[in-house]
Amino acid sequence: MTTSKTMADGGGEEFEKLLYSELAKRLGVVEEEIRKNKSLVDIIHPRDFYILVGSMMFFTLWFSLATGLTVFYALGAIIIVLLAIWTMYAWKVIVKEA
Amino acid sequence: MAEEQETAEREALFGFLPVLAHERVYGTWDYIALQICYGIAAWAFLVGSFTGYVLPAKEAVPAIFIGEALPLGMMSFYAILFARYGVDQFLLPRAALGYHGNTLLLLIWIPINWGWIAYASFLFGEAVIKLLPAIGAPVPEFFTTEVGYASGATFWAIIAFILGFIPAYLGPLAVRWLTRIAAPGMTIVLLGLIYYVIAEYGLSNLFQLPAVAPYEDPLLNRAFAVEWNAGLGFAWAFYYGQWSRIAKSETAAFHGPYWGWGPIMCVAVIFASFTMLITGDLDPTAWMIQVGGPSWGVLGLILMAVANITSNTLLIYTQAIPVKYTWPKVSWFTAVATAIPAVVLFNLKVFENYNVFLTLVGCLWTVYPAILLADFYVIRRGKFDLKELYYKGPKYMYWRGFNVVAMLMFPIGYLFYFSLVDPWNATTEGAILPFFRYTTGLIPTFVLIFFLYTVIMKALIKEQ
């Protein structure tokens, strides 16, 4: 498949008919895939959450402590707690319960 | 039959249809490269400049990370849902906002996106008018002028727009090649510039430089610095689904925005804050030659020029996809061409008021992800009925196509935000609520809307 051709000229009834018939087919595929595999593509792994959120927060905390910024340290700590709670919750909802 | 299949697949990539697994074209590295190109651009340099305006280096670095971390840490999760269903940013929110509410928001967002295109294009213009004299190019004076519409900066901004427009029109595969080439190049130049600045000025000297023009209250400096960075972080709220829908896995959808708009973009913001501290000039293109000298300075200006062209491409494509979703019968060219009115904003005055733009519209894009995250995760628990969403069925109709609760969150968010801070003048004088200096404005607004929306919607669902 190439993208050199212009796409979706839009407009006419023929186009609309084709579009909605394809949509109906695809919605069936999506529904089936979600029911069977939870997602159209490979589902996310928990390490993705923890590595990323952890690394960014670690740096912020480390820098705040190293520079002795107590107000920022407090703000950073609150944000870490919020993100940790959120991460656990989001994980439960979109992976475990999916 | 084969031709029909190809048409359908292209329509999926370029527009309206859900993108199936075998049609996805962006792997993790492609997606990270794409978001690096998005992140390293006008906004990163401008926000960095403003941060250095009010904070010294040792405070600027954590302020930048804290400001960017919370929005990205929260919002990266909804990238997963767009990848899961293979649909656009402006389809799933129909479930939260109602069909017409979602279209209304699209109509408000499009002019804001023009603003982003204007900043990227004009910074390209600013870079070129400084690059030409730096390399001794023999061009008429007009091509290096800055003020007014009839100026070199505006002319070059239009060129940047055209250069960005072409790959956006060609679609995601053309964009992928552009970003595969541009992202590593931009990252190397950026790291080289940082190395040069540290080697030239010394890290300890950099850390002793005072902020350029801070407020008297140190807490206010920190709060405004976090605020501007959080404004940029929340700004990405509208830009996930257009790309996540073509990600090959949920992991790719998650990593791309997180790295590109997170730590890697933070490097660009930190670099900008350092150079602001050295030069005291708010214009990122002005300090490139001052800080980098003739060699690194010219490279830096080229970086800015390239960075803003790729950003333009991404912004234009990002706008075209929801236009196709909302009005599927329009041609792809028409969808892409909806970005053209941005040209009206290619002006120095618009460019100079970036912080006002950021904080004002920042409130809108803080309320938006707060509603979506609450709705997608707490109310709907990640489950959507795509048939209803596409065919605008009764399930998400609410009141005449508007979810009144979600719509009310916008004025509530704005009222609350304006009771904390006056973003026009970047001051808290006259604020009704006195805690901006401790909490910033956007972060408590996000938290308030998230919980308020959740509580009201849960109560309504229980009643029904």
Side-chain angles (χ1 to χ4, degrees):
Chain A
M1 191 180 81
T2 65
T3 53
S4 57
K5 296 176 196 171
T6 53
M7 182 45 215
D9 296 328
E13 270 178 37
E14 196 57 38
F15 168 79
E16 199 177 0
K17 224 168 104 184
L18 179 72
L19 189 68
Y20 280 94
S21 111
E22 182 63 27
L23 175 64
K25 268 194 273 173
R26 280 169 185 253
L27 288 177
V29 175
V30 174
E31 205 171 80
E32 184 64 12
E33 278 293 307
I34 299 279
R35 195 179 57 77
K36 275 197 320 213
N37 303 320
K38 296 183 178 180
S39 175
L40 280 181
V41 287
D42 290 342
I43 208 155
I44 193 154
H45 192 276
R47 69 170 173 264
D48 293 307
F49 298 161
Y50 297 117
I51 291 171
L52 296 182
V53 174
S55 61
M56 200 156 176
M57 291 301 99
F58 172 80
F59 182 80
T60 308
L61 257 187
W62 165 77
F63 200 90
S64 305
L65 283 170
T67 53
L69 301 170
T70 52
V71 172
F72 273 22
Y73 169 70
L75 187 57
I78 292 167
I79 289 175
I80 286 173
V81 173
L82 282 175
L83 280 178
I85 294 169
W86 172 250
T87 301
M88 286 187 288
Y89 179 78
W91 169 253
K92 185 170 160 269
V93 169
I94 60 168
V95 179
K96 229 174 149 190
E97 289 181 4
Chain B
M1 193 64 198
E3 197 183 327
E4 258 185 32
Q5 182 62 26
E6 191 180 328
T7 305
E9 288 182 3
R10 287 191 320 204
E11 178 57 37
L13 276 185
F14 284 78
F16 176 70
L17 298 169
V19 190
L20 302 178
H22 70 276
E23 296 162 344
R24 309 285 182 103
V25 288
Y26 278 70
T28 304
W29 288 107
D30 290 324
Y31 206 17
I32 290 174
L34 177 106
Q35 306 300 32
I36 287 173
C37 289
Y38 238 137
I40 302 177
W43 25 94
F45 297 119
L46 288 165
V47 165
S49 293
F50 282 111
T51 308
Y53 200 67
V54 294
L55 286 181
K58 75 168 187 177
E59 294 195 45
V61 177
I64 289 163
F65 270 90
I66 289 170
E68 307 290 344
L70 180 66
L72 282 170
M74 297 288 286
M75 294 191 306
S76 294
F77 293 93
Y78 78 46
I80 297 163
L81 293 172
F82 296 111
R84 179 166 292 182
Y85 288 93
V87 294
D88 175 54
Q89 175 75 36
F90 278 85
L91 187 85
L92 295 186
R94 287 178 181 176
L97 305 168
Y99 306 116
H100 300 323
N102 187 56
T103 306
L104 176 67
L105 210 66
L106 174 67
L107 293 172
I108 294 169
W109 171 74
I110 286 174
I112 293 172
N113 198 50
W114 294 339
W116 290 116
I117 293 169
Y119 283 110
S121 302
F122 204 81
L123 196 66
F124 174 92
E126 288 280 326
V128 175
I129 63 170
K130 287 169 183 88
L131 183 63
L132 292 174
I135 58 171
V139 290
E141 198 188 335
F142 166 79
F143 291 106
T144 56
T145 53
E146 188 180 29
V147 183
Y149 281 109
S151 67
T154 300
F155 170 79
W156 293 115
I158 293 169
I159 298 291
F161 179 81
I162 294 167
L163 291 175
F165 188 92
I166 295 165
Y169 174 70
L170 292 175
L173 290 181
V175 173
R176 187 176 66 177
W177 281 107
L178 177 73
T179 53
R180 273 180 181 176
I181 296 163
M186 281 161 51
T187 309
I188 290 166
V189 173
L190 184 64
L191 291 174
L193 277 165
I194 289 182
Y195 176 77
Y196 177 84
V197 167
I198 291 173
E200 186 74 11
Y201 294 89
L203 200 56
S204 57
N205 289 337
L206 266 174
F207 273 59
Q208 279 168 4
L209 289 172
V212 176
Y215 295 91
E216 279 178 21
D217 179 356
L219 280 177
L220 212 51
N221 292 319
R222 292 167 189 166
F224 269 113
V226 173
E227 179 82 346
W228 293 322
N229 282 282
L232 180 57
F234 282 120
W236 301 117
F238 290 94
Y239 297 89
Y240 282 88
Q242 295 91 335
W243 303 101
S244 302
R245 73 194 189 98
I246 49 176
K248 284 179 179 171
S249 66
E250 292 183 5
T251 299
F254 184 75
H255 279 277
Y258 197 90
W259 286 103
W261 297 338
I264 297 172
M265 192 187 74
C266 282
V267 173
V269 182
I270 288 166
F271 166 71
S273 71
F274 285 179
T275 46
M276 174 71 185
L277 289 165
I278 295 167
T279 65
D281 197 324
L282 267 174
D283 176 1
T285 56
W287 35 252
M288 278 296 179
I289 298 288
Q290 286 182 56
V291 169
S295 53
W296 278 104
V298 168
L299 263 180
L301 287 175
I302 293 171
L303 163 76
M304 278 198 186
V306 173
N308 287 301
I309 289 172
T310 54
S311 297
N312 257 345
T313 297
L314 303 177
L315 289 166
I316 294 167
Y317 176 83
T318 307
Q319 184 175 311
I321 291 291
V323 168
K324 277 290 285 178
Y325 255 80
T326 311
W327 299 281
K329 283 171 77 175
V330 301
S331 71
W332 176 243
F333 180 80
T334 308
V336 179
T338 56
I340 291 174
V343 174
V344 176
L345 301 171
F346 293 180
N347 190 286
L348 184 65
K349 279 209 170 134
V350 176
F351 186 69
E352 284 176 340
N353 284 294
Y354 178 68
N355 61 331
V356 176
F357 172 79
L358 199 64
T359 42
L360 264 181
V361 291
C363 185
L364 171 69
W365 55 58
T366 302
V367 175
Y368 177 75
I371 294 170
L372 293 197
L373 282 168
D375 191 273
F376 288 6
Y377 283 86
V378 187
I379 307 296
R380 240 161 279 287
R381 305 187 82 79
K383 292 187 175 66
F384 298 89
D385 188 332
L386 281 199
K387 266 185 197 156
E388 290 279 319
L389 288 171
Y390 265 105
Y391 292 109
K392 301 185 179 174
K395 192 170 180 180
Y396 306 114
M397 185 53 82
Y398 299 105
W399 181 77
R400 298 181 180 191
F402 292 92
N403 179 0
V404 179
V405 178
M407 291 295 115
L408 277 175
M409 291 301 122
F410 289 96
I412 291 171
Y414 261 87
L415 279 176
F416 180 71
Y417 181 67
F418 282 106
S419 65
L420 284 166
V421 64
D422 167 8
W424 287 108
N425 302 304
T427 178
T428 54
E429 274 173 34
I432 299 165
L433 300 171
F435 50 83
F436 176 87
R437 55 207 286 271
Y438 304 106
T439 61
T440 75
L442 295 177
I443 293 173
T445 304
F446 177 89
V447 174
L448 172 79
I449 297 301
F450 182 93
F451 284 107
L452 196 59
Y453 179 82
T454 303
V455 169
I456 298 175
M457 284 300 285
K458 283 230 167 202
L460 285 175
I461 290 167
K462 206 174 171 186
E463 202 175 288
Q464 283 167 6

